Amino acid sequence: MTAETMAEEKARASSWFRALRDEIVAAFEGIEASHAGPGAAGGPGAFDVRETVRTAQDGSDAGGGLMSVMRGGRVFEKVGVNVSTVYGALGEAAQTAMAARKGLPGMAEDPRFWASGISLVAHMQNPHVPAVHMNTRMFWTPHGWWFGGGADLNPCLDYAEDTADFHAVLERHCAPHGQDLYPRYKAWADEYFYIPHRGRARGVGGIFYDDHCSGDWDADFALTQDVGRAFLAAYLPLVARRRDTPWTAEDREAQLVHRGLYAEYNLVYDRGTKFGLSTGHDPDAVLMSLPPLAKWI
Amino acid sequence: MTAETMAEEKARASSWFRALRDEIVAAFEGIEASHAGPGAAGGPGAFDVRETVRTAQDGSDAGGGLMSVMRGGRVFEKVGVNVSTVYGALGEAAQTAMAARKGLPGMAEDPRFWASGISLVAHMQNPHVPAVHMNTRMFWTPHGWWFGGGADLNPCLDYAEDTADFHAVLERHCAPHGQDLYPRYKAWADEYFYIPHRGRARGVGGIFYDDHCSGDWDADFALTQDVGRAFLAAYLPLVARRRDTPWTAEDREAQLVHRGLYAEYNLVYDRGTKFGLSTGHDPDAVLMSLPPLAKWI
């Protein structure tokens, strides 16, 4: 923990999140361009990119980001990739939530914060291709800094092979940072992505972590970078494997109902969504994760 | 306020909610049966009725209700009418929320509660016909009792005439109980059905009240009965007025997007939804309010 400004670390982290965003966006554009399976006649989807602005309650600048959304692609029905760097003073509610979780004495006296990260949610046209979520971020306050993030797979039609492969890639990318990391962060994802009122997980898990601070910023940043790198390595093979499989009306129905579950999770429980909605971030950017079409029967 | 069991009052309230449910269900079946406008060829929709069970954490009986849902009707795309009577001990989180709102000293020592009510949400096939919500309930604890409820209109295509007529019927039914009631409860609905993160109301309002306890149970119950009676009187004319109007693909799109907003409101803010999900009620009954199909662009 440190009370320094950490200007250089912040710049390195936010640049990295932006570079990762560029790499992911390019990879997804490549998938759209190369698609020759179901829906190929429609032509490749393109990202709609716009800057987002966060405004403090007193109207002052509080950061912003870049929201990139592709809608109605041939492979991606809706995918959003957000990067943002936001700062200001934490409101009372956010202070209380953070104090309950972390302690952080001093937050009430000096409630400044800075946060930068990338978040991504993909809802796919083909019900055989799993939906996916990835997010990594650095959080700073004068009283401490930490990293958080993770990725989880949300298939509506389960393939044990896909689940195993996705987890194996995440595990491999965590391994250099400590053998205990993957099992701990997998267990955390199982707990975090659980929907209590439904008594079930929202998907087949992945990894999740928050408040990660070993005291060694470079080491912790390196882990977060590897989690970011793991994403494309874990997900692209699943898209390649499933995107040409034909689907039925029943598969589509299962997909729409599963998306309802996903929306329930995000709106009722997701920490990032709650934080974004309650601290004045652009609601369209915060809620970019919501499915293009969802069903509740 | 009273610490009595109020067995008779509870029985009268829950019987009334059940009778109101029967009347509404019959009226909606009548609308389906008589429909000759767009979609008439499909045949009338029917309610799927099932008992719901609420189980306490220790597995003991904690009440239940009757959930009636019509899906894919000719006029109603999805409508749910729930009645439930639930009881037990309030959990710590619910106690805290209630204490923050009402005080209610003694709740920690004797956390028993009893609640009975009716709730209804209708999502319509025709985008010209507004979606609607109605809910009334009696809540009892050893430390006090109160009524709550309301109704609000959620059109995706606004007709000033419909809004004015809906409000006028609510006002007329509130009037015998005090001239100040409608303006106060209309203002409360404007505040309650507001979506802070979108900076807008979810619909065109109606009335909302909670913690209504004048000390005269009969008078307060009579008000709640009149709010219940107001519902069909206010809503049926709007259905009759709009159900035969043809609609376009753009109207349907506006409807699906508006329903996304409705789902956001219910999952993020709605007090009854939060209470239901966090106290172990049947999630399908609590989330019956969610739209059959919704879109986030």
Side-chain angles (χ1 to χ4, degrees):
Chain A
M1 298 285 176
T2 164
E4 297 155 41
T5 309
M6 297 179 72
E8 195 194 316
E9 288 86 349
K10 289 174 182 170
R12 281 175 61 200
S14 59
S15 300
W16 156 258
F17 295 132
R18 173 56 195 256
L20 181 61
R21 174 256 173 221
D22 293 346
E23 190 187 344
I24 290 171
V25 161
F28 286 179
E29 286 170 340
I31 290 173
E32 281 292 317
S34 68
H35 187 58
F47 277 96
D48 175 23
V49 180
R50 73 170 180 87
E51 293 190 347
T52 60
V53 172
R54 185 174 166 275
T55 311
Q57 284 204 316
D58 65 4
S60 63
D61 166 46
L66 197 66
M67 173 164 82
S68 310
V69 184
M70 185 195 294
R71 298 174 183 87
R74 308 197 281 196
V75 180
F76 295 92
E77 189 171 331
K78 181 182 173 190
V79 55
V81 188
N82 272 346
V83 282
S84 68
T85 299
V86 299
Y87 40 82
L90 272 188
E92 239 174 272
Q95 279 180 41
T96 306
M98 202 165 280
R101 205 176 85 226
K102 296 179 64 73
L104 278 195
M107 218 44 212
E109 288 74 45
D110 184 350
R112 282 177 299 150
F113 80 100
W114 176 99
S116 182
I118 177 171
S119 74
L120 173 164
V121 175
H123 297 284
M124 312 305 283
Q125 294 281 9
N126 191 328
H128 294 283
V129 183
V132 73
H133 153 259
M134 189 274 289
N135 164 241
T136 58
R137 63 192 168 280
M138 173 187 165
F139 209 102
W140 173 93
T141 77
H143 323 288
W145 53 266
W146 62 94
F147 288 93
D152 74 303
L153 202 64
N154 293 272
C156 60
L157 305 168
D158 284 357
Y159 289 100
E161 183 190 6
D162 294 1
T163 301
D165 290 356
F166 185 78
H167 277 274
V169 176
L170 294 178
E171 183 169 18
R172 200 162 65 235
H173 281 75
C174 289
H177 307 278
Q179 289 300 323
D180 63 321
L181 275 187
Y182 168 76
R184 275 170 50 212
Y185 290 171
K186 177 194 181 300
W188 199 342
D190 287 343
E191 186 195 325
Y192 185 72
F193 296 115
Y194 187 76
I195 308 179
H197 66 262
R198 295 284 184 188
R200 58 160 290 181
R202 75 172 190 186
V204 296
I207 58 171
F208 177 84
Y209 60 104
D210 204 352
D211 306 320
H212 183 97
C213 177
S214 69
D216 178 345
W217 188 87
D218 287 294
D220 296 347
F221 180 47
L223 165 67
T224 291
Q225 287 178 300
D226 272 337
V227 170
R229 287 182 194 108
F231 170 70
L232 285 176
Y235 188 58
L236 294 185
L238 308 187
V239 177
R241 185 183 290 162
R242 304 288 169 203
R243 69 172 171 171
D244 295 337
T245 308
W247 67 89
T248 64
E250 288 71 33
D251 297 335
R252 174 67 174 170
E253 175 85 6
Q255 185 189 44
L256 295 180
V257 170
H258 187 263
R259 286 182 184 168
L261 206 68
Y262 191 89
E264 276 178 35
Y265 178 84
N266 273 34
L267 291 169
V268 180
Y269 301 110
D270 186 69
R271 197 179 285 179
T273 303
K274 277 183 192 299
F275 182 80
L277 292 184
S278 62
T279 59
H281 203 70
D282 184 318
D284 288 323
V286 177
L287 298 176
M288 174 208 76
S289 60
L290 294 177
L293 200 63
K295 201 163 186 166
W296 282 274
I297 50 177
Chain B
M1 298 283 177
T2 164
E4 299 154 36
T5 310
M6 297 180 72
E8 195 195 316
E9 288 86 349
K10 289 174 182 170
R12 280 175 60 199
S14 59
S15 301
W16 156 258
F17 295 132
R18 174 57 196 256
L20 180 63
R21 175 256 173 223
D22 293 346
E23 190 188 345
I24 291 171
V25 161
F28 287 180
E29 285 170 340
I31 290 173
E32 280 293 318
S34 68
H35 187 59
F47 278 96
D48 175 24
V49 180
R50 75 173 178 86
E51 292 190 348
T52 60
V53 172
R54 185 173 166 276
T55 312
Q57 283 204 317
D58 65 4
S60 64
D61 166 46
L66 197 66
M67 174 164 80
S68 310
V69 184
M70 184 195 295
R71 299 174 183 87
R74 307 197 281 197
V75 180
F76 295 92
E77 189 171 331
K78 181 183 174 191
V79 54
V81 188
N82 272 346
V83 282
S84 69
T85 299
V86 301
Y87 40 82
L90 273 188
E92 238 173 272
Q95 277 178 43
T96 306
M98 203 165 280
R101 204 176 85 227
K102 295 179 65 76
L104 278 195
M107 218 45 212
E109 288 74 45
D110 184 350
R112 283 177 299 151
F113 80 99
W114 177 99
S116 182
I118 178 170
S119 72
L120 172 164
V121 175
H123 297 286
M124 312 305 283
Q125 294 282 9
N126 191 329
H128 295 283
V129 183
V132 73
H133 153 260
M134 188 275 288
N135 165 241
T136 57
R137 62 192 169 279
M138 174 188 163
F139 209 100
W140 172 93
T141 77
H143 322 289
W145 54 266
W146 62 92
F147 288 93
D152 74 304
L153 202 65
N154 293 271
C156 61
L157 304 169
D158 285 355
Y159 289 99
E161 182 191 5
D162 293 3
T163 302
D165 289 355
F166 185 78
H167 277 274
V169 176
L170 293 179
E171 183 169 17
R172 199 162 65 236
H173 281 76
C174 288
H177 306 279
Q179 288 301 323
D180 63 321
L181 275 187
Y182 168 76
R184 275 171 50 213
Y185 289 171
K186 177 195 182 301
W188 199 341
D190 288 342
E191 186 196 324
Y192 185 72
F193 297 114
Y194 186 77
I195 308 179
H197 67 263
R198 295 285 184 189
R200 57 159 289 179
R202 76 173 188 185
V204 295
I207 58 171
F208 177 84
Y209 61 103
D210 204 351
D211 306 322
H212 183 97
C213 177
S214 69
D216 178 345
W217 188 87
D218 287 293
D220 296 348
F221 180 46
L223 164 68
T224 290
Q225 287 177 300
D226 272 336
V227 170
R229 287 182 193 109
F231 170 71
L232 285 177
Y235 189 58
L236 295 185
L238 308 187
V239 177
R241 184 184 290 163
R242 305 288 168 203
R243 69 173 172 171
D244 295 337
T245 309
W247 67 88
T248 66
E250 288 70 35
D251 297 335
R252 175 66 173 170
E253 175 85 5
Q255 184 189 44
L256 294 180
V257 170
H258 188 263
R259 285 183 185 168
L261 205 69
Y262 191 89
E264 274 178 43
Y265 177 84
N266 273 33
L267 291 169
V268 179
Y269 302 110
D270 186 70
R271 195 179 286 177
T273 303
K274 278 184 191 298
F275 182 80
L277 293 183
S278 62
T279 57
H281 204 71
D282 184 320
D284 288 323
V286 177
L287 298 176
M288 174 210 77
S289 61
L290 294 176
L293 200 64
K295 200 163 188 169
W296 282 274
I297 51 175

